[in-house]
């Protein structure tokens, strides 16, 4: 809990690639606000390249929303910048994008009660996790 992408990138070889996964999801944006855009970009790019070099499929996840949505604080605008950066990385490397941020945006515009999608200040509830699962699930076809 609370890990950002620079710390995740530091353990990526040891704790992820050694398991030889078929698919890797990367989702750090809520915590990456503390690391900043530049450090986060470098870490995400490092993990993406390492996975692709091993022919592992990659799905990048934009962040879920948190309570800073209500106040439109600097944290909210940082979250938007990280979202845009993740979308750009998905385009640059032609990898999957589970756009959780957009899923929250679609649902909050239809149902203005964000609290239904959060179990805590910045943790999704079951309903919030379902939005994320639906985004990731688009990349998996039932057989």
């Amino acid at each position: 809990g609370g890990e950002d992408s620079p710390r995740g990138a530091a353990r990526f070889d040891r704790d992820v690639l050694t398991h030889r996964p078929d698919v890797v999801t990367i989702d750090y944006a809520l915590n990456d606000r503390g690391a900043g855009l530049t450090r986060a970009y470098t870490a995400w790019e490092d993990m993406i390249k390492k996975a692709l070099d091993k022919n592992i499929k990659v799905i990048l996840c934009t962040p879920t929303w948190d309570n800073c949505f209500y106040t439109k604080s600097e944290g909210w605008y940082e979250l938007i910048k990280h979202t845009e950066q993740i979308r750009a990385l998905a385009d640059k490397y032609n990898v999957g994008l589970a756009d959780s941020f957009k899923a929250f945006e679609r649902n909050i515009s239809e149902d203005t009660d964000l609290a239904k999608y959060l179990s805590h200040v910045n943790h999704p509830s079951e309903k919030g996790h379902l939005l994320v699962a639906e985004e990731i699930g688009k990349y998996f076809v039932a057989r």
Side-chain angles (χ1 to χ4, degrees):
E3 182 176 74
D4 60 17
S5 62
R7 285 188 284 169
R11 63 180 190 80
F12 196 69
D13 291 318
R14 180 188 73 234
D15 294 339
V16 178
L17 297 181
T18 59
H19 295 284
R20 292 186 238 150
D22 295 320
V23 179
V24 171
T25 59
I26 302 174
D27 181 8
Y28 285 103
L30 280 170
N31 293 336
D32 273 350
R33 289 178 286 186
L37 287 165
T38 302
R39 287 183 63 225
Y41 187 92
T42 300
W44 284 66
E45 190 170 52
D46 181 58
M47 290 183 279
I48 293 165
K49 287 179 178 179
K50 285 180 176 179
L52 293 177
D53 284 347
K54 297 202 177 283
N55 295 314
I56 298 167
K57 291 175 178 58
V58 176
I59 302 171
L60 305 182
C61 301
T62 60
T64 55
W65 287 15
D66 69 5
N67 277 349
C68 68
F69 164 76
Y70 292 118
T71 60
K72 300 296 192 281
S73 65
E74 182 59 30
W76 176 251
Y77 295 105
E78 283 296 311
L79 204 58
I80 291 170
K81 291 175 191 173
H82 281 277
T83 299
E84 292 167 352
Q85 182 167 279
I86 293 162
R87 290 172 180 154
L89 281 165
D91 284 343
K92 178 178 180 178
Y93 288 98
N94 195 32
V95 297
L97 178 70
D99 203 339
S100 304
F101 192 92
K102 186 176 272 186
F104 268 68
E105 186 174 50
R106 263 191 324 269
N107 283 274
I108 302 311
S109 67
E110 295 168 6
D111 178 2
T112 58
D113 190 2
L114 173 59
K116 289 182 184 176
Y117 298 93
L118 297 176
S119 64
H120 191 261
V121 172
N122 66 342
H123 295 281
S125 65
E126 183 177 346
K127 194 170 184 176
H129 279 294
L130 183 58
L131 294 179
V132 176
E134 288 170 349
E135 285 296 310
I136 294 170
K138 293 175 183 177
Y139 290 95
F140 297 89
V141 178
R143 295 180 192 240

